[in-house]
Amino acid sequence: MTAVCAGDRLGSVAEYISGPGTYVRDGFIHASLVGLQQIGGDAMSGSGRRPIEVVAGAAVPVVPKLGDVVTAKVQRVQQNQAQCRIVCVGQRACDTDFAGAIRLQDVRTTEVDRIIMVDCFRPGDVVRAEVLSLGDARSYFLSTAKNELGVVYARSAGAGAPMVPTSWEEMRCPVTEAVEKRKVASSTAQPK
């Protein structure tokens, strides 16, 4: 048995018969899921071709896809975007690092022309965001343009204490009582 990933070419339709966990494209059989390739021992239907299938492995890697709600940690904030590292997809932790970017136009739906990125996110903030698209070669494009999306955890610049949300655009440090601007996620919403 050989481990395969979705899209891997397994063989030709002249040599094998497509089984569960596979699909045919341009005369070749490909894996449709991550798992183990199995080749049947007996030829079927008198054609001399053996069946080939892919059986799902125990651990399927977590990969963000369009529409997923992810949890990400802000790495760097620039004038036009915040760069993030995706750490969870839904409730599942990622095994590998995925880069994400929250662009200026994807922070919120209203008053887009008045958004200042450093008033919405700071490095170290943990945000809940939705995957908009696969983005460019380096990162997924993320959005916080819904009420339940935005900063869910932040530390104050002064004391380093975890801050408490006071409105949809402010968080307060319980130690120093300092108020800092953020694009805060609605506290009543839970990730899916």
Side-chain angles (χ1 to χ4, degrees):
M1 286 198 237
T2 306
V4 294
C5 291
D8 284 356
R9 185 184 289 184
L10 306 177
S12 162
V13 292
E15 188 178 354
Y16 298 103
I17 296 172
S18 178
T22 67
Y23 64 93
V24 176
R25 176 177 286 161
D26 298 327
F28 292 97
I29 300 171
H30 299 268
S32 64
L33 48 92
V34 176
L36 299 174
Q37 171 185 324
Q38 291 183 339
I39 299 173
D42 298 332
M44 293 184 68
S45 68
S47 66
R49 299 182 298 163
R50 295 182 297 168
I52 190 168
E53 64 184 60
V54 176
V55 179
V60 176
V62 178
V63 177
K65 62 183 181 302
L66 186 69
D68 280 348
V69 175
V70 299
T71 304
K73 188 169 184 179
V74 177
Q75 302 291 305
R76 195 165 96 190
V77 180
Q78 298 171 309
Q79 188 175 2
N80 60 348
Q81 71 178 0
Q83 295 174 341
C84 308
R85 182 174 51 93
I86 298 172
V87 294
C88 292
V89 177
Q91 297 289 333
R92 295 183 61 199
C94 295
D95 298 328
T96 58
D97 283 345
F98 296 101
I102 304 170
R103 300 174 297 179
L104 186 70
Q105 65 266 30
D106 299 325
V107 173
R108 62 177 183 237
T109 55
T110 60
E111 299 178 335
V112 177
D113 56 331
R114 297 180 57 203
I115 295 173
I116 300 170
M117 289 301 281
V118 294
D119 285 348
C120 298
F121 309 104
R122 302 269 172 90
D125 287 357
V126 176
V127 299
R128 186 181 311 132
E130 183 177 355
V131 177
L132 275 183
S133 71
L134 301 182
D136 57 18
R138 286 170 276 186
S139 61
Y140 288 86
F141 287 145
L142 307 176
S143 171
T144 58
K146 295 180 181 174
N147 289 342
E148 65 271 14
L149 305 176
V151 176
V152 293
Y153 178 82
R155 290 186 168 274
S156 67
M163 296 198 301
V164 178
T166 57
S167 73
W168 67 273
E169 60 182 358
E170 289 182 345
M171 295 183 99
R172 180 181 309 275
C173 174
V175 176
T176 64
E177 296 295 318
V179 174
E180 295 182 20
K181 290 187 170 239
R182 296 288 200 284
K183 194 300 185 181
V184 180
S186 170
S187 60
T188 58
Q190 295 297 316
K192 295 178 182 175

